């Protein structure tokens, strides 16, 4: 049984509204315990991105960082056999991650993350072997996407080398087959599928971030491949490999059932079946998990309701698409915070989620963390006008003109994974994007201080650290001079800005817009 991309969701609660949601480890626990009554020897694995993602997780990593991380407490309570490191495990730094690993009663696996000095797996074992009753031998190998250095704060991964995940899997699968001779070999990979499962056509730019398709089709010896990272619901087979991806936030529990047949030479696999057990109103939260986390949950709720400042006017977001199609007060506010923190006058920022609601009236930590759910820090890059134009052309690919003539979202930003956060909006320049023009030819106006921005003109631009590292295929940023870094995450910067000003006046200078002119 498999969880993946839990992202700090334990209790079944929406932290914006306090309403119940059919998500989280407390409800997953009910399914796990019921399954154990029927199959006492089941293996339970988490496939990464456990420690970050909710206000509860943020509080646990900040105000509650000296305590046992509640996500680790839950996995210990449920007797997980292993966990795999995800990219978001590094978001709060190696000290917090090291404490989480130390406090775990199960091993953390990642064959491709190695210590720079020893060249050995940095977090202990790359794999485990379990011998079940009847002598059935199961090997579980953990692998993590090697694309993490393209996103993560360098201080959070200092001393680590991230090997190509596909190559690491090939190396260790061969080793396990030769040395351990398992009856079943499972690879748990915190990464997803780079190609369409049916056609084999690329489903994204083949950067190496996701390599699950290649693992199924190019790698000999895998029986089951657990995947994640893309937040998809997958339970199928590819190239004779049973594949699984159980969504995100504890919306489903993945299950792979394997039947064996005994022959003269030992056990062989007779049948494999992957399925998803979805949570709904019929699944109650497990009382033991609720009790285990109730103290931290109560502390989190009190902390979330702390008033931070006020907004004079309306920054609420009625429509995410409308917000992204013309300058909006909330996006202008985001860019103002970034420019204030970095001491520059050009900035870009993204609406991170379609669930972001913006601000109005009194603003609490609950409001801030509902809109700024990722612990991104800020980086100032020295760019040229040509770099800015290239970035705007890439961001303009977010749009399409629908058949009925309305503005829509390019499906590439929706499937196989939602990527709304890869569309940026700028302050400090004036520009216009024409969604009716071909991709790569959509920037129809680009000015700086009322004058055309020249290709060789240099300017300092602040953005989040994920984008500054080229995240979202913004290759034009890679290798650019880093002028300065602001090593405080965005949620804290917003809180500080509101506390400093007390009351923030809503503004919108309408410096950009999207049009549809054939």
């Amino acid at each position: 049984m498999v969880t993946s991309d839990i992202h700090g969701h334990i209790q079944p609660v929406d932290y914006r509204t306090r309403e119940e949601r059919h998500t989280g480890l407390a409800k997953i626990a009910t399914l796990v315990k019921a399954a154990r009554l029927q199959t006492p020897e089941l293996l339970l694995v988490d496939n990464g991105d456990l420690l970050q993602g909710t206000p509860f997780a943020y509080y646990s990593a900040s105000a509650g960082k000296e305590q046992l991380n509640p996500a680790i407490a839950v996995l210990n309570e449920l007797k997980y056999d292993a966990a795999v490191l995800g990219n978001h495990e590094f978001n709060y730094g190696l000290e917090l991650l090291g404490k989480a690993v130390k406090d775990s009663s199960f091993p953390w696996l990642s064959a491709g993350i190695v210590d720079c000095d020893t060249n050995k797996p940095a977090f202990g074992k790359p794999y485990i072997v379990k011998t079940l009753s009847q002598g059935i031998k199961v090997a579980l190998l953990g692998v993590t996407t090697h694309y993490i250095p393209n996103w993560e704060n360098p201080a959070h991964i200092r001393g680590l080398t991230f090997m190509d995940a596909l190559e690491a899997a090939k190396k260790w699968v061969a080793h396990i087959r030769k040395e351990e001779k398992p009856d079943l070999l499972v690879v748990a990979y915190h990464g997803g599928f780079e190609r369409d499962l049916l056609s084999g056509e690329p489903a994204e730019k083949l950067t190496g971030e996701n390599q699950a398709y290649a693992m199924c089709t190019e790698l000999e010896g895998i029986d089951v491949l657990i995947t994640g990272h893309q937040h998809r619901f997958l339970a199928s087979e590819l190239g004779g490999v049973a594949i699984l991806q159980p969504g995100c936030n504890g919306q489903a529990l993945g299950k792979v059932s394997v039947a064996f047949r005994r022959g003269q030479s030992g056990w062989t696999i007779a049948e494999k079946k992957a399925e998803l057990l979805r949570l709904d109103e019929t699944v109650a939260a497990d009382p033991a998990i609720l009790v285990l986390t109730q103290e931290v949950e109560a502390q989190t709720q009190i902390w979330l309701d702390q008033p931070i400042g006020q907004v004079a006017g309306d920054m609420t977001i009625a429509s995410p698409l409308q917000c992204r199609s013309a300058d909006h007060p909330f996006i202008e506010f985001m860019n103002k915070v970034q420019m204030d923190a970095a001491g520059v006058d050009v900035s870009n920022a993204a609406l991170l989620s379609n669930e972001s609601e913006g601000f109005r009236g009194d603003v609490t930590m609950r409001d801030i963390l509902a809109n700024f759910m990722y612990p991104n820090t800020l980086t100032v890059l020295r760019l040229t006008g040509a770099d800015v134009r290239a970035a705007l052309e890439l961001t303009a690919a977010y749009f399409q003109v629908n058949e009925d003539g309305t503005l829509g979202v390019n499906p590439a930003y929706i499937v196989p994974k939602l990527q709304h956060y890869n569309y940026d909006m700028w302050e400090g320049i004036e520009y216009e994007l024409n969604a009716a023009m071909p991709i790569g030819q959509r920037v129809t106006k680009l000015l700086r201080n009322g004058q055309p921005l020249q290709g060789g003109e240099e300017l300092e631009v602040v953005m989040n650290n994920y984008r500054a590292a080229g995240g979202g295929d913004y290759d034009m940023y890679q290798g650019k001079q880093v002028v300065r870094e602001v090593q405080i995450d965005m949620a804290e910067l917003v809180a500080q800005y509101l506390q400093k000003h007390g009351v923030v006046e809503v503004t919108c200078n309408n410096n950009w817009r999207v049009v549809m002119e054939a």
Side-chain angles (χ1 to χ4, degrees):
M1 301 195 106
V2 178
T3 52
S4 189
D5 298 87
I6 291 294
H7 286 291
H9 288 262
I10 297 178
Q11 299 217 6
V13 61
D14 185 325
Y15 285 95
R16 297 169 304 160
T17 64
R18 291 181 183 252
E19 294 176 351
E20 182 179 353
R21 278 192 167 185
H22 304 306
T23 60
L25 282 173
K27 288 200 168 196
I28 291 287
T30 297
L31 299 181
V32 170
K33 291 183 177 181
R36 279 210 174 103
L37 294 176
Q38 298 179 332
T39 313
E41 287 192 306
L42 71 82
L43 299 179
L44 184 59
V45 182
D46 185 78
N47 196 42
D49 281 5
L50 171 72
L51 300 176
Q52 175 277 336
T54 57
F56 179 86
Y58 186 96
Y59 177 83
S60 301
S62 52
K65 65 182 179 181
E66 301 303 324
Q67 305 172 35
L68 173 65
N69 189 295
I72 300 302
V74 171
L75 265 61
N76 287 345
E77 173 71 14
L78 292 176
K79 295 180 174 55
Y80 270 68
D81 291 283
V84 176
L85 289 146
N87 51 295
H88 285 289
E89 258 62 75
F90 296 91
N91 286 169
Y92 299 119
L94 288 174
E95 183 178 352
L96 184 136
L97 175 55
K99 184 178 187 305
V101 171
K102 182 180 178 182
D103 290 342
S104 300
S105 60
F106 50 87
W108 285 78
L109 311 177
S110 192
I113 304 177
V114 300
D115 185 284
C116 288
D117 295 328
T118 65
N119 208 35
K120 294 180 178 179
F123 294 91
K125 302 176 180 179
Y127 69 91
I128 59 171
V129 176
K130 295 275 187 176
T131 302
L132 309 181
S133 66
Q134 311 286 331
I136 296 173
K137 196 173 184 182
V138 180
L140 173 69
L141 172 67
V143 189
T144 305
T145 177
H146 61 268
Y147 216 62
I148 291 172
N150 290 280
W151 312 309
E152 191 53 70
N153 181 340
H156 293 173
I157 54 175
R158 189 169 290 127
L160 301 177
T161 297
F162 292 81
M163 297 172 57
D164 183 282
L166 178 61
E167 295 306 314
K170 287 179 178 178
K171 170 188 171 181
W172 284 102
V173 165
H175 171 86
I176 292 167
R177 282 294 180 194
K178 179 182 178 182
E179 300 297 330
E180 306 290 353
K181 298 179 175 56
D183 301 303
L184 181 74
L185 200 159
V186 180
V187 174
Y189 167 49
H190 189 83
F193 287 89
E194 71 278 31
R195 296 180 180 273
D196 181 85
L197 296 182
L198 295 177
S199 69
E201 292 298 313
E204 62 184 30
K205 187 176 179 181
L206 301 180
T207 60
E209 176 182 349
N210 297 299
Q211 299 172 298
Y213 191 93
M215 288 183 185
C216 288
T217 57
E218 299 177 17
L219 208 168
E220 292 286 335
I222 297 178
D223 298 311
V224 176
L225 180 63
I226 297 163
T227 63
H229 188 54
Q230 292 173 315
H231 300 180
R232 299 171 69 184
F233 293 102
L234 299 174
S236 187
E237 185 173 289
L238 177 64
V241 179
I243 61 170
L244 191 66
Q245 190 172 145
C248 65
N249 304 342
Q251 295 172 288
L253 177 65
K255 177 181 177 182
V256 181
S257 306
V258 184
F260 293 87
R261 180 181 295 112
R262 192 198 296 272
Q264 291 185 345
S265 58
W267 293 104
T268 57
I269 296 172
E271 185 181 3
K272 294 178 291 187
K273 180 184 178 183
E275 58 187 307
L276 297 171
L277 307 180
R278 302 288 288 265
L279 298 184
D280 57 25
E281 67 279 358
T282 66
V283 181
D286 180 71
I289 301 303
L290 294 179
V291 170
L292 185 64
T293 56
Q294 68 181 5
E295 183 177 347
V296 179
E297 175 68 22
Q299 293 169 354
T300 300
Q301 294 292 352
I302 293 170
W303 177 71
L304 283 172
D305 287 328
Q306 293 177 8
I308 303 298
Q310 288 184 320
V311 168
D314 190 354
M315 291 185 192
T316 56
I317 299 166
S319 161
L321 182 61
Q322 191 175 23
C323 177
R324 295 185 179 103
S325 60
D327 195 17
H328 187 282
F330 184 68
I331 303 303
E332 186 159 305
F333 170 77
M334 290 176 66
N335 279 314
K336 278 185 176 179
V337 172
Q338 293 187 173
M339 292 187 291
D340 180 74
V344 298
D345 58 5
V346 182
S347 170
N348 66 55
L351 183 65
L352 298 176
S353 168
N354 277 4
E355 294 185 351
S356 296
E357 296 180 345
F359 297 151
R360 180 165 60 182
D362 293 333
V363 180
T364 65
M365 279 303 299
R366 187 184 304 277
D367 300 319
I368 293 172
L369 289 171
N371 287 280
F372 299 92
M373 63 289 298
Y374 301 114
N376 293 322
T377 56
L378 300 179
T379 301
V380 178
L381 296 182
R382 178 164 286 121
L383 303 177
T384 65
D387 296 326
V388 174
R389 180 176 289 275
L392 286 170
E393 289 290 4
L394 180 60
T395 210
Y398 176 80
F399 296 107
Q400 69 173 17
V401 179
N402 297 327
E403 291 183 2
D404 62 0
T406 59
L407 187 67
V409 178
N410 182 341
Y413 287 79
I414 300 173
V415 178
K417 177 183 178 180
L418 291 174
Q419 297 183 59
H420 298 299
Y421 53 81
N422 281 331
Y423 172 75
D424 290 336
M425 293 158 280
W426 291 64
E427 192 65 35
I429 58 174
E430 302 88 52
Y431 65 95
E432 189 170 275
L433 308 177
N434 187 348
M437 296 293 286
I439 289 176
Q441 302 174 36
R442 292 182 167 181
V443 180
T444 53
K445 183 176 85 171
L446 179 54
L447 307 176
R448 170 87 165 117
N449 297 324
Q451 299 298 317
L453 181 62
Q454 302 300 318
E457 185 178 341
E458 290 191 338
L459 57 168
E460 295 180 356
V461 182
V462 61
M463 63 193 75
N464 69 50
N465 62 303
Y466 168 76
R467 186 70 78 242
D473 299 331
Y474 284 79
D475 298 339
M476 72 291 298
Y477 296 152
Q478 293 184 341
K480 297 300 177 181
Q481 180 185 349
V482 175
V483 178
R484 72 184 64 89
E485 294 179 296
V486 181
Q487 299 290 5
I488 302 173
D489 78 61
M490 192 61 183
E492 289 187 43
L493 289 174
V494 171
Q496 290 174 10
Y497 188 90
L498 286 165
Q499 288 171 330
K500 180 173 71 173
H501 292 275
V503 178
V504 173
E505 297 287 339
V506 172
T507 62
C508 186
N509 62 4
N510 299 306
N511 65 300
W512 65 272
R513 65 174 184 159
V514 178
V515 299
M516 294 180 290
E517 298 174 354

